[in-house]
Amino acid sequence: MAQPALAQSTRKQLKTANKYFEQENYRASIPFYEQVLAKEPNNALALFRAGIAYMSFDKEKASDYIYKAQKLKPKVAKDVEYWLGRVDHLNYNFDEAIQHFQAYNTTLKQKDTRKKDLAQLIQHSKNAKVQFNSPKDIFVKNLGPTINTQYSEHSPVISADDKLLLFTSRGENVTGAGSTNSKDKGNVASDGEYYEDIFEAKRIDEDEWEKPRSLSGALNGKGHDASIQVFDNDTKMLMYRQDENGDIFYSERSGGDWTAPKKLNGNINSKAYESDAYITPDGQTIYFSTGKFSEDGTLDIYYSTRQPGGDWGPAKSLGTAINTQYDDDSPYLSRDGKTLYFSSRGHNTMGGYDIFKSEWDSVGNKWGRPENMGYPINTPDDDTYYRLSPDGSYAYLSSYRIGGYGEKDIYTINYIKNAIIRGKVFSKRDSSTVIPGVELVFSGTQADKTALSYRDVTKPETGDYSVNVLSGRTYQVAVSKDGKNIETQEFAVPISTNDSTVVEKNFYVDYIDTTSMMASQFKKIYFDTDKYNLRPESIQELNNISNILKANPGINISIEGHCDSRNTDEYNIVLGQNRANAAYNYLKKSGVGETRMVTVSYGERRPAAPNDSPENMQLNRRVEFRVILKEGETMPQFNTGTGTGTGTGTSGTTGTSTSSSSNSSTRTTVPLAPGKSKAKLPDGTKVKTKVDEDSDKVKVKTKGANDEKSKTVTKDGTIDSKVKEADGAKTKVKTDND
């Protein structure tokens, strides 16, 4: 007895489900189909129709159901290939969607009017594939469950201060007309969904909103009511009301509430469907969508201007550049009036409505060709009601997309911005020694796979680096020193939607930096302007270095001379070399073997600080000491030493050599000893130097390979320089270096 009763119950549930399905009341049909499937999980027809019903609420489940139905019963319906194409398109399977649409097309007769619709659907899938494969760097964010529900939320309207959101909902909290009890379905539309109501929510912070408040009563009528725009300093509101197929109304704020809506005049509203509108900031022009002027009732965008009496004048079309044979809706203008945003089912849409923009052509006095705003602003489903925030930095839109709460949700659209990544590079050995001179290259891609690359080198004194990178992606960070790769690390940069985001990131690498390691052993020595005489405190430090070298006979050092930028590059190379030589000669006289030391001049090319103040210039007039390690050799432990070492060694070069590490800028230079000297640099430049007996006057002449010349005379702190470039241009500089 139980078996026939169960079958009878299933047939009744299936009958009820099919009844709602045929009325296109899909939400009501789903529970009955699910009851059938709970008892008969392989009921192909129930699976197929439930899948179609789910397409408005759960795209992935819709795909599972329709595909399972076709597998169980390949000819479950004549149009199964059509629905497989539709559900594949919504789930981003564009190639498969095209195949299903083409398969369905072969089943239709040559003159079947559905062939035209199929051709458009196939084109949608082709468009969607192009847009999806060339995405924009845009961050789409759901407003969250306080605003969005399992039902449809759309038509976002934001106040001028960005603190109040008005929107439209078909959720369970709507009032609509009549009561909500089970006998009087006054708040339920013919499709089984609740009527639309207008709500408002106050902003708590950037991501949070207070519980929405219904603006029912005066604003909400017997059918659908939807928010459109607030204007005149938020004192007036444009809204849609389901009256005479749909018309545009306005209401005024009175205290904390709104007055009864009034309909715009007959130049705007008609017996056809009017959907959405936008009034310009000056209040003189209204753009609106209407079905009045099309043969088949599809929407086009028109505009009207205020007449002398203050009411709206005759409507004029935006023209065929904007309007298509399909629906064109939801007009919105940027604050400057030069960019039109709108939704369309035509043009090169990805499917359903897409957001487009058009720029005003002031020369041709017309709107330019619309541009699809691309993925991820647009999706294979409906994307509508694009509205900019008050400052234009981001936008709101309504969209039904995977990952939402149900039907249409309200989202924010932010262009992904740059973020500042900064920090230091440390030696992994002790996690506290910073490594200057490390090159960091951040390599990544834009959303469309275009390569990105950002670079910086850690600073000489602090080991700091800073790069300004496009946020919201993972970078491969190549860490190298002296042209040799140390390692490559992966670093994910979080999404930033403003240009002031700072991310602190330190890198710890398996590298021993000789400059850093010897910093506590060998201090820098400094010089007066244009001098290379050793100061008393420099003598003290050189004695310390001598003691350490004697106590550590296996250590060899590079002595590196630097200058500020007051003189010419050629002159500073010479001066830097003489500063290095001064330290070299002192250490040699103190007993350090000359084969353990090399000298190099960087002139002004490696400043320790910007040359923008006397204090910073003093930091640049220096000699640094760096331990030289052979390739593969690790940093040795230092003995403090007491000056009893032998001072001998086996590696290095003579004291006048300028060799150094592989990427050092080395020059062969002449010492500034009293008298005359000549030298030829590696690039072919000839240098003549004349120094007087007490070295207080120095004259340097250079002649380059391309006949460029310079003459610099330094005396008692004054520099007098003349330069003639290869192209004949001449420069004279005379300055007091003190």
Side-chain angles (χ1 to χ4, degrees):
M1 294 292 292
Q3 216 51 18
L6 184 63
Q8 186 176 6
S9 171
T10 301
R11 285 196 298 271
K12 183 178 179 181
Q13 290 163 343
L14 185 59
K15 183 178 179 181
T16 303
N18 289 337
K19 172 188 165 187
Y20 284 123
F21 183 88
E22 286 157 6
Q23 295 172 352
E24 295 185 1
N25 188 343
Y26 297 125
R27 188 180 288 278
S29 72
I30 288 174
F32 293 99
Y33 282 129
E34 289 292 3
Q35 290 173 31
V36 172
L37 293 171
K39 300 166 188 173
E40 299 179 11
N42 292 329
N43 187 317
L45 183 61
L47 279 166
F48 177 68
R49 292 193 166 183
I52 294 173
Y54 268 120
M55 285 176 64
S56 295
F57 315 108
D58 190 331
K59 301 174 188 183
E60 292 167 296
K61 183 175 281 189
S63 179
D64 291 342
Y65 277 32
I66 296 174
Y67 264 97
K68 185 176 179 180
Q70 192 232 18
K71 186 176 181 180
L72 288 167
K73 190 176 181 181
K75 295 185 179 180
V76 64
K78 291 182 179 180
D79 57 355
V80 64
E81 290 289 346
Y82 167 82
W83 289 106
L84 285 170
R86 286 286 305 276
V87 79
D88 269 337
H89 179 83
L90 292 177
N91 283 282
Y92 296 82
N93 301 315
F94 304 121
D95 289 334
E96 292 85 347
I98 292 170
Q99 291 172 8
H100 288 303
F101 288 140
Q102 290 172 337
Y104 180 59
N105 190 50
T106 61
T107 68
L108 301 177
K109 294 181 179 179
Q110 193 62 36
K111 294 185 179 180
D112 196 315
T113 56
R114 288 174 290 181
K115 280 184 171 288
K116 179 183 176 183
D117 294 333
L118 273 176
Q120 188 194 23
L121 290 172
I122 290 171
Q123 188 60 50
H124 286 173
S125 291
K126 291 179 179 178
N127 295 341
K129 185 177 178 180
V130 170
Q131 297 291 349
F132 181 72
N133 288 329
S134 54
K136 306 288 193 298
D137 274 297
I138 288 170
F139 179 48
V140 181
K141 186 176 182 181
N142 193 297
L143 254 60
T146 303
I147 302 298
N148 295 313
T149 69
Q150 62 177 305
Y151 302 92
S152 181
E153 279 75 36
H154 60 84
S155 301
V157 175
I158 196 72
S159 62
D161 61 5
D162 207 12
K163 293 182 179 179
L164 185 68
L165 174 71
L166 285 81
F167 65 98
T168 303
S169 175
R170 298 190 76 175
E172 293 176 306
N173 294 324
V174 303
T175 303
S179 76
T180 56
N181 62 52
S182 58
K183 293 181 180 180
D184 185 355
K185 296 288 185 178
N187 67 328
V188 178
S190 60
D191 61 0
E193 301 277 331
Y194 294 107
Y195 281 114
E196 295 171 334
D197 273 5
I198 300 172
F199 290 78
E200 71 173 14
K202 294 180 180 178
R203 185 188 295 278
I204 298 173
D205 55 34
E206 185 178 347
D207 298 317
E208 298 295 327
W209 299 88
E210 290 183 356
K211 182 179 179 181
R213 177 177 77 97
S214 173
L215 299 183
S216 56
L219 280 188
N220 290 322
K222 295 181 179 180
H224 295 299
D225 302 282
S227 49
I228 292 178
Q229 180 190 5
V230 287
F231 60 103
D232 278 0
N233 295 320
D234 297 347
T235 62
K236 297 177 183 177
M237 180 199 303
L238 279 183
M239 60 173 287
Y240 165 88
R241 175 170 280 184
Q242 191 181 3
D243 186 72
E244 292 189 293
N245 287 322
D247 282 336
I248 309 298
F249 288 69
Y250 78 96
S251 174
E252 299 187 53
R253 187 179 287 278
S254 177
D257 225 320
W258 296 91
T259 62
K262 298 177 183 178
K263 186 182 293 192
L264 301 188
N265 72 14
N267 286 325
I268 308 301
N269 291 311
S270 68
K271 292 183 179 180
Y273 179 42
E274 280 75 43
S275 169
D276 203 357
Y278 174 79
I279 294 178
T280 55
D282 62 7
Q284 296 304 301
T285 307
I286 184 171
Y287 294 79
F288 64 101
S289 49
T290 177
K292 176 181 178 180
F293 302 100
S294 63
E295 294 180 2
D296 56 359
T298 55
L299 293 169
D300 288 324
I301 300 176
Y302 279 70
Y303 73 98
S304 170
T305 56
R306 285 197 188 276
Q307 301 302 291
D311 215 341
W312 298 110
K316 298 178 182 179
S317 173
L318 286 191
T320 55
I322 302 299
N323 293 318
T324 67
Q325 60 180 311
Y326 304 100
D327 288 319
D328 303 288
D329 194 7
S330 193
Y332 181 84
L333 268 70
S334 59
R335 183 166 289 275
D336 62 8
K338 295 180 180 179
T339 306
L340 169 70
Y341 301 92
F342 66 101
S343 302
S344 178
R345 295 183 189 271
H347 301 291
N348 60 330
T349 173
M350 291 178 68
Y353 277 111
D354 272 8
I355 309 295
F356 291 83
K357 71 175 181 178
S358 172
E359 304 292 339
W360 177 251
D361 178 2
S362 58
V363 176
N365 201 36
K366 61 182 181 180
W367 289 106
R369 182 180 178 180
E371 174 189 343
N372 189 306
M373 294 194 70
Y375 177 82
I377 290 179
N378 291 316
T379 69
D381 213 309
D382 285 336
D383 306 284
T384 54
Y385 306 108
Y386 186 88
R387 300 291 186 263
L388 290 171
S389 65
D391 65 359
S393 64
Y394 66 99
Y396 295 83
L397 65 68
S398 178
S399 181
Y400 171 39
R401 56 185 70 202
I402 293 172
Y405 289 92
E407 294 181 65
K408 288 183 178 179
D409 282 350
I410 298 174
Y411 293 82
T412 55
I413 300 294
N414 287 272
Y415 283 88
I416 294 175
K417 302 293 183 66
N418 283 2
I420 297 171
I421 313 300
R422 68 187 186 193
K424 299 175 184 288
V425 177
F426 292 94
S427 170
K428 199 181 286 184
R429 173 169 291 190
D430 58 11
S431 300
S432 62
T433 301
V434 296
I435 310 174
V438 173
E439 182 183 51
L440 299 105
V441 178
F442 288 68
S443 299
T445 59
Q446 296 182 27
D448 62 2
K449 306 304 180 186
T450 302
L452 295 170
S453 184
Y454 307 92
R455 172 189 177 276
D456 196 20
V457 178
T458 54
K459 302 300 180 291
E461 296 295 319
T462 61
D464 289 306
Y465 78 92
S466 178
V467 289
N468 201 5
V469 307
L470 187 61
S471 67
R473 66 214 63 240
T474 298
Y475 286 92
Q476 300 295 317
V477 186
V479 185
S480 60
K481 173 80 168 166
D482 296 332
K484 298 179 181 178
N485 182 262
I486 302 172
E487 62 187 55
T488 300
Q489 298 187 15
E490 213 172 61
F491 178 50
V493 179
I495 287 176
S496 169
T497 55
N498 60 68
D499 285 321
S500 59
T501 300
V502 176
V503 179
E504 301 287 345
K505 170 62 178 175
N506 293 328
F507 288 90
Y508 296 85
V509 297
D510 190 14
Y511 181 81
I512 306 301
D513 182 64
T514 58
T515 303
S516 298
M517 289 294 289
M518 61 116 194
S520 60
Q521 305 290 338
F522 301 153
K523 293 184 173 61
K524 301 167 190 174
I525 61 175
Y526 296 93
F527 296 83
D528 295 333
T529 300
D530 203 36
K531 302 292 184 183
Y532 54 93
N533 307 82
L534 297 174
R535 294 174 176 175
E537 64 270 21
S538 299
I539 299 295
Q540 184 177 352
E541 178 56 29
L542 288 169
N543 287 334
N544 174 59
I545 294 171
S546 175
N547 289 339
I548 293 173
L549 291 175
K550 291 173 183 177
N552 297 271
I555 299 298
N556 302 314
I557 63 169
S558 172
I559 304 171
E560 301 170 351
H562 301 266
C563 306
D564 61 33
S565 61
R566 295 175 192 238
N567 213 317
T568 63
D569 182 45
E570 292 86 359
Y571 181 85
N572 285 330
I573 287 291
V574 174
L575 180 58
Q577 182 63 48
N578 280 279
R579 287 173 175 168
N581 287 346
Y584 167 87
N585 289 329
Y586 186 90
L587 291 172
K588 179 181 176 182
K589 288 178 181 179
S590 70
V592 178
E594 63 182 44
T595 58
R596 301 178 59 192
M597 300 180 289
V598 296
T599 60
V600 62
S601 172
Y602 292 107
E604 63 186 73
R605 300 178 183 184
R606 293 193 176 183
N611 286 286
D612 55 8
S613 68
E615 293 77 15
N616 282 348
M617 286 187 174
Q618 174 63 90
L619 294 176
N620 292 330
R621 298 194 300 269
R622 70 196 190 279
V623 162
E624 295 183 2
F625 304 90
R626 183 171 57 85
V627 175
I628 299 173
L629 295 179
K630 296 178 182 178
E631 188 170 351
E633 190 177 14
T634 60
M635 189 67 183
Q637 294 285 59
F638 278 92
N639 296 320
T640 56
T642 59
T644 58
T646 64
T648 60
T650 58
S651 66
T653 62
T654 64
T656 56
S657 168
T658 58
S659 63
S660 69
S661 59
S662 60
N663 75 333
S664 296
S665 176
T666 62
R667 312 272 306 245
T668 302
T669 61
V670 292
L672 292 187
K676 298 179 180 180
S677 61
K678 297 180 181 179
K680 187 174 181 181
L681 305 184
D683 62 3
T685 300
K686 296 178 181 178
V687 181
K688 293 182 180 180
T689 306
K690 181 180 179 182
V691 184
D692 66 3
E693 288 301 321
D694 54 4
S695 298
D696 63 351
K697 181 179 179 181
V698 180
K699 182 187 294 184
V700 179
K701 291 183 179 181
T702 68
K703 183 177 181 180
N706 297 316
D707 203 35
E708 61 270 29
K709 300 177 182 179
S710 72
K711 178 181 177 182
T712 303
V713 179
T714 304
K715 183 177 180 181
D716 298 329
T718 299
I719 296 176
D720 188 352
S721 179
K722 299 177 183 179
V723 179
K724 180 183 178 183
E725 305 292 349
D727 60 3
K730 296 180 180 180
T731 305
K732 294 183 180 181
V733 177
K734 190 170 184 179
T735 182
D736 187 346
N737 280 314
D738 291 333

